[in-house]
Each structure stands twice: as C-alpha cells, then as structure tokens.
Amino acid sequence: MLDLKNPDTYQGGVPYAALQDLRAEGPVHWNPESDGAGFWAVLGYDEIVAVSRQPDLFSSAFENGGHRIFNENEVGLTGAGESAIGIPFISRDPPSHTQYRKFVMPALSPARLQGIEERIAKRVGRLFAQVPLGETVNILPLLTVPLPLLTLAELLGVPADLWPDLHRWTDAFVGEDDPDFRQSPEAMQAVLAEFMGFATALFEDRRANPGPDIASLLANTEIRGEPAPLRDFIANLILALVGGNETTRNSINHTMIALAENPGQWEMLRADPSLMTAAVKEMVRFASPVIHMRRTAMRDTQLGEQAICKGDKVVIFYPAGNRDPAVFENPDRFEITRPLRQHLAFGSGAHVCVGSRLAEMQLRLAFAEMARHVRAFEVVGEPSRVRSNFINGFKRLEVRLLV
C-alpha cells in the first residue's frame, strides 16, 4: 500500500501514476501512520483549493499541529525538537497570519523591488558565464542553487558571499529525513547554533538600524501592538529562506529535465520568446517543488464525500492536484503553451506564496539567458534526489548544455 508519509515513496520522484490511481478511487484518501493516528490525503484539485481557502475550518496553526505532516507543537518547526525557534507565520491562522503578511508584503512591492529584474538578469548572466557549455556538470552549485540565494541575500540585506551558508542551513531545516542533511542530532544542533548566532545578530542590528529589507520588516513586526520576539523572527527567517529558495531552485532543475525529455518545447520557446511568461507557469506546475502542506480540521465536516472529524489531520498534496485530469488536460505532458489555469504549486487561499512573482521572474530570466546560448539539454545519469516527503528536490543533477 502506498504510504504518502514515507519519504522513500518519493526517492524515485513523485509517484504520479500511483497518485492517479488513488485519486481515481476518490479525491480524499485515508493514509494510516505507523507513528500516529493517520491522516486524510487530499489529492483532487478542487478539494485542495477548498481546504486552502477555509482556514477557519482547516487550521495550519502551530498549536493545532502546524503546517507540516509531523506535529510541530510536539517536535518543533524543523522536526529537531528545538525550543529556541518560535512560530513562523505559515503556522498561524488569520488574523495573526494576515498581520504578518501585511508587514512582509511591502518588501516585495514593485516600488521596493525597483530595478531588481535588471539586477537578477545580470546575476544570471554572471552565473551562466561560469557554466562550461557542452560538458557534463552538476548544475546545482553553478546556477540553480546560488541564483535564488543571491536574490534572497539582496532582499534580506546580507552579504552576497553568505549564500553557501544560507544553502547549508536551508538544507538542514527541510532535510529532516535525508541522512546527507541530518548526519546526527549533534551535527544538527551545531548547525542550529550557527544559524541562531547569525539570526540573533541580524535581529539586533535590524532593531537598532532598520531598513527597507525583509529582515528589518520581520525584526520590527508588531502583532496586536507588541513587538514580535526573537524566537518568531528566527522562525520567519527560516520560512523566508526555505520559501524563497526551494521553489525557484527546484523548478529550474525539474524544467531542465522536462526540456531534455521534450526538446520540441525548448525549440518552440527559443523561437518565440513571447511564450516565456506563460511557460514559467507551466514549469512550476509541472515541477510542483513542494509536495505537501498539512491542516487540522477544527470541526466535523465533509470533503470529497468523506466525513472528516474534528481534530483529524488533513494533508494536501500539490503534485497530485497539479496533475488532476479534471482540471488539466493531459496533465502529465509538459506543454509551455498550455492554456493558463491557476496551478497549486504556490499554494492557494490565505497562505498563497508571497514571493511567487519573484520566483517566476527568476525562472523567466534564467531560461531567457539559456535560450540565447543553449540549443538542447541533456541529462547525464540518474539525478540524486532529496529524501523527503516535503521537498520535491535534488542534491545533484548532472547535465550537458548543448550549443
């Protein structure tokens, strides 16, 4: 029986065929847990949207278990049992969640981001210039990892050369099931201590010298008239790092694989750059870089003809919703000219990703640069994937960019 909680289920990639079989039985499926009471796996597009748009009924609040498949109120935000990390606003319900978003959104407004597209384009150019064309390379450290992290460094107002540390910390936070990222509890505690030192110094500096960057906004957030504590600043900083990094990075990785398998799509895009805006939405839909989000039912209800009881864990699976044939025709096909329909990879409802436009911008600029130089993509060997039920990502992806 397919266990959607077991990270080994995703080691060979998201099992789309098995998800399709489950969804054919019904859009809401009961998944037992070896270490818990079990959960409702939501696999249908409409049902995922219904859960996402009713935060009063389906809670992501920390005290109710949080937004991850494990119980955050029992094991902590990163599953490491730490107590110094507070509650990120993704693990809050409205109105607190809404208040935090209002503080963050100005940092991503067109006025604050003035000129950022040009800066990202130059950044892409510098990174791509270091990629040896026609040779087999692991594309992650050369392009797909540093690009979003350098953009994040700019938004946070921290030095650009800090990106390797941001990368290492982010992998540790989301990689609780991957032995390469969590070698031991002692190693994880050392990473946390290192990050805590960085975050505490950043918090104190931005409280004393606030600026227009996201770190300043998070450090000076006030909820119900009270300054947000350091613990919550640390939690929201982790959220910014993970959210601003993993989606962009892995959408680029997945798209390179898709273009290697569908060379005609790349030829079409190179021939008509005006297709890029729609193409990036298909890239993110097809990639579905975040696998799940969790909610908890706050009262008895019904979803997809299933009776849901108060207190039940409800887990929405974005890759399944993004391949729902009731919404997307030929959903397993990568089509850059697909008619626009809102995909679920950035979430939906109150918790929709605040940085989605910035992520799309980075994809558009990255592939626009490659379109000027790369004739075709070739994947070499089997990619190394992150062992995770949360991030649909890669640790190594060897490609040849053919000219």
Side-chain angles (χ1 to χ4, degrees):
M1 183 178 180
L2 187 68
D3 181 2
L4 295 176
K5 185 176 182 179
N6 187 343
D8 288 336
T9 297
Y10 308 93
Q11 274 293 83
V14 173
Y16 285 109
L19 289 175
Q20 171 63 18
D21 291 342
L22 282 179
R23 190 176 47 239
E25 298 174 9
V28 181
H29 166 78
W30 180 253
N31 194 113
E33 288 179 296
S34 60
D35 57 351
F39 59 88
W40 293 104
V42 186
L43 309 177
Y45 180 98
D46 290 340
E47 290 73 22
I48 291 173
V49 171
V51 170
S52 302
R53 293 185 178 178
Q54 299 180 83
D56 61 322
L57 177 55
F58 298 103
S59 171
S60 63
F62 177 87
E63 59 269 22
N64 297 320
H67 75 283
R68 293 291 304 277
I69 206 166
F70 52 73
N71 294 328
E72 292 173 36
N73 52 347
E74 295 176 1
V75 300
L77 175 63
T78 66
E82 69 288 338
S83 60
I85 298 177
I87 303 172
F89 69 85
I90 196 174
S91 295
R92 295 181 186 271
D93 292 332
S96 294
H97 174 83
T98 309
Q99 290 178 293
Y100 270 99
R101 286 178 72 97
K102 286 181 178 178
F103 272 90
V104 174
M105 289 303 289
L108 299 170
S109 69
R112 288 276 176 88
L113 296 178
Q114 186 174 13
I116 196 168
E117 180 164 350
E118 181 181 349
R119 293 192 295 276
I120 292 174
K122 290 180 179 178
R123 192 172 293 144
V124 169
R126 288 194 297 270
L127 290 170
F128 189 76
Q130 303 303 311
V131 178
L133 301 180
E135 298 180 20
T136 299
V137 294
N138 176 16
I139 199 64
L140 270 69
L142 296 177
L143 178 64
T144 65
V145 170
L147 174 58
L149 288 170
L150 288 167
T151 300
L152 266 173
E154 176 185 342
L155 294 174
L156 292 169
V158 301
D161 61 7
L162 194 65
W163 78 260
D165 288 331
L166 299 179
H167 177 216
R168 186 164 47 84
W169 295 334
T170 303
D171 281 349
F173 295 143
V174 300
E176 67 271 2
D177 292 312
D178 193 306
D180 288 338
F181 298 154
R182 297 275 182 101
Q183 290 93 345
S184 67
E186 294 76 19
M188 183 60 189
Q189 289 305 312
V191 170
L192 280 173
E194 186 181 351
F195 177 76
M196 296 293 187
F198 160 76
T200 301
L202 185 62
F203 177 78
E204 293 172 351
D205 177 72
R206 295 305 195 269
R207 276 284 180 90
N209 307 289
D213 56 273
I214 288 179
S216 292
L217 295 176
L218 291 175
N220 293 282
T221 297
E222 291 187 359
I223 302 298
R224 293 183 292 276
E226 295 293 326
L230 171 62
R231 294 176 68 251
D232 287 359
F233 171 81
I234 292 172
N236 285 316
L237 186 60
I238 292 173
L239 174 61
L241 289 174
V242 174
N245 168 24
E246 295 289 349
T247 299
T248 304
R249 176 208 310 185
N250 287 305
S251 290
I252 298 174
N253 292 332
H254 280 284
T255 299
M256 287 188 178
I257 296 172
L259 292 171
E261 296 173 347
N262 300 274
Q265 296 290 300
W266 183 235
E267 292 170 8
M268 190 187 310
L269 193 55
R270 292 188 76 202
D272 186 358
S274 71
L275 297 174
M276 189 68 75
T277 299
V280 296
K281 296 184 183 299
E282 174 68 352
M283 292 173 185
V284 182
R285 180 200 73 88
F286 198 79
S288 290
V290 176
I291 296 172
H292 82 258
M293 286 287 172
R294 175 262 182 91
R295 302 289 185 262
T296 301
M298 300 307 293
R299 55 184 181 271
D300 292 352
T301 187
Q302 185 167 312
L303 184 69
E305 299 184 359
Q306 295 286 356
I308 310 295
C309 296
K310 179 180 178 180
D312 281 356
K313 186 192 300 187
V314 177
V315 184
I316 53 182
F317 288 87
Y318 296 129
N322 279 334
R323 301 286 181 99
D324 189 338
V327 177
F328 301 101
E329 186 177 356
N330 297 316
D332 294 324
R333 188 178 298 169
F334 179 73
E335 294 182 355
I336 63 168
T337 56
R338 181 180 295 279
L340 292 181
R341 176 71 189 264
Q342 186 59 54
H343 61 71
L344 299 172
F346 290 129
S348 180
H351 288 272
V352 69
C353 177
V354 296
S356 58
R357 291 183 180 177
L358 189 60
E360 288 180 344
M361 180 190 296
Q362 292 181 87
L363 262 72
R364 175 167 52 81
L365 294 172
F367 282 99
E369 177 70 17
M370 285 186 268
R372 289 188 281 270
H373 305 282
V374 177
R375 174 179 55 81
F377 297 89
E378 184 178 301
V379 176
V380 181
E382 188 67 26
S384 174
R385 294 177 177 269
V386 179
R387 183 179 184 269
S388 176
N389 59 25
F390 184 56
I391 296 296
N392 182 18
F394 300 89
K395 294 184 288 190
R396 187 176 185 86
L397 174 61
E398 293 195 340
V399 298
R400 272 196 289 268
L401 305 184
L402 306 177
V403 295

